[in-house]
Amino acid sequence: MEKEALSVLAILVGLIIGSFLNVVIHRLPRRQEIVFRPSHCPRCQAPIPFYLNVPLLSYALLRGRCRSCGARISPRYPLVEALAALGFWMAAQRYGLSFHAGAVAVFLSLLIALAFIDLEHMILPDELTLGGAGLFLAYSFVHPEVAQLDAVLTGIGAALFFAALFYFYLKVRRIEGLGFGDVKMALMMGLFLGLRRTAVAIMLASVVGVLVGLFFIVFRKKDLKLALPFGPFLALGGWAALFQGEALLAWIASLWGLP
Ligand SMILES: [Zn+2]
């Protein structure tokens, strides 16, 4: 397939999946039916007709308001659609029209859904973390970039690392600095990324997480026990490490004069 045609296809599929991810993000934490209930306004329950359910375009045409009751539609909707389109485009750029590009798209979709659910509800649903872990355990048999032993050991290792942090916070600082959902999300990510990229992902997540935490403490005068969800940072780290992890490791090695 021509490169331009593949890019257009990836972006269109990404927009449609992004639209579905919005439904998952809204309904999964509220335990609502995901597949069979048609789209509706969360405030007035007015159904959203299919011609007003076009990703990005509808939000722009309706200027971010429900057509029936005028309720504000969260900017999360176009943001998630744009992010999914970007992710699918990046997957197609890197891996072409391949089965692995599809697996990468699934991984990025899970990261997007988990990040936004965690931001809003401070939870990481098992359906996505453990469901994804099961999926990527199966995929580790055919993963073209990560050996199966690497995937399994990294998944378990990352989960144990976060479990240790979880208990450290709970015992020593007597706060829930991390949720147990982060442990399961680390398992899912380790199974797909393998050791090298998972190390980069956790490193990036921690650095960005600390910087954002400091920003809130300094500029918003929040206290030190401020609870920031860690899922969005893990998602950001995982996304960056997937595409640039190897390059970043090579750069760090070159700084130290390593081969
Ligand atoms: Zn409405």
Side-chain angles (χ1 to χ4, degrees):
M1 192 186 281
E2 296 239 1
K3 190 122 192 160
E4 291 77 17
L6 180 59
S7 293
V8 171
L9 178 71
I11 289 169
L12 287 179
V13 174
L15 286 173
I16 293 164
I17 299 296
S19 179
F20 172 69
L21 290 177
N22 272 316
V23 175
V24 171
I25 290 165
H26 183 78
R27 295 185 193 174
L28 187 57
R30 295 176 173 84
R31 298 286 145 202
Q32 294 173 352
E33 166 60 42
I34 287 175
V35 178
F36 295 106
R37 192 162 170 225
S39 299
H40 59 276
C41 168
R43 190 166 87 179
C44 70
Q45 309 296 325
I48 299 166
F50 71 93
Y51 56 87
L52 283 177
N53 211 351
V54 185
L56 293 183
L57 204 63
S58 303
Y59 187 85
L61 286 176
L62 295 168
R63 292 193 194 83
R65 290 191 180 278
C66 168
R67 195 178 52 142
S68 302
C69 71
R72 270 224 155 281
I73 302 167
S74 165
R76 187 194 79 220
Y77 285 86
L79 183 60
V80 163
E81 286 157 1
L83 278 173
L86 174 69
F88 280 44
W89 177 77
M90 288 172 79
Q93 288 291 307
R94 174 69 69 90
Y95 298 105
L97 188 63
S98 65
F99 192 68
H100 188 58
V104 167
V106 169
F107 179 70
L108 296 177
S109 299
L110 285 169
L111 294 186
I112 293 170
L114 284 166
F116 283 91
I117 291 175
D118 202 18
L119 262 181
E120 203 173 317
H121 302 275
M122 302 285 277
I123 55 163
L124 296 163
D126 286 349
E127 286 87 342
L128 304 179
T129 55
L130 294 183
L135 215 57
F136 296 140
L137 179 62
Y139 189 64
S140 69
F141 284 93
V142 295
H143 198 309
E145 290 186 324
V146 176
Q148 190 178 37
L149 188 64
D150 181 359
V152 171
L153 290 181
T154 304
I156 294 170
L160 286 176
F161 176 71
F162 276 90
L165 279 179
F166 175 74
Y167 286 113
F168 168 79
Y169 270 106
L170 214 58
K171 289 269 176 204
V172 179
R173 301 190 55 193
R174 294 180 192 288
I175 54 166
E176 270 200 44
L178 286 164
F180 213 74
D182 296 299
V183 175
K184 297 175 223 170
M185 185 171 175
L187 171 72
M188 183 274 279
M189 288 172 58
L191 275 164
F192 189 70
L193 292 175
L195 179 60
R196 294 168 61 86
R197 284 164 167 168
T198 300
V200 173
I202 294 174
M203 197 174 70
L204 289 174
S206 307
V207 170
V208 178
V210 166
L211 288 178
V212 171
L214 283 176
F215 173 85
F216 273 101
I217 289 164
V218 173
F219 292 101
R220 299 287 179 85
K221 306 273 183 265
K222 299 260 169 136
D223 68 82
L224 281 161
K225 283 195 178 169
L226 152 89
L228 274 181
F230 197 60
F233 299 111
L234 271 179
L236 194 68
W239 187 313
L242 175 70
F243 290 104
Q244 294 302 327
E246 292 295 338
L248 192 67
L249 285 173
W251 178 70
I252 291 170
S254 75
L255 287 182
W256 290 79
L258 299 170

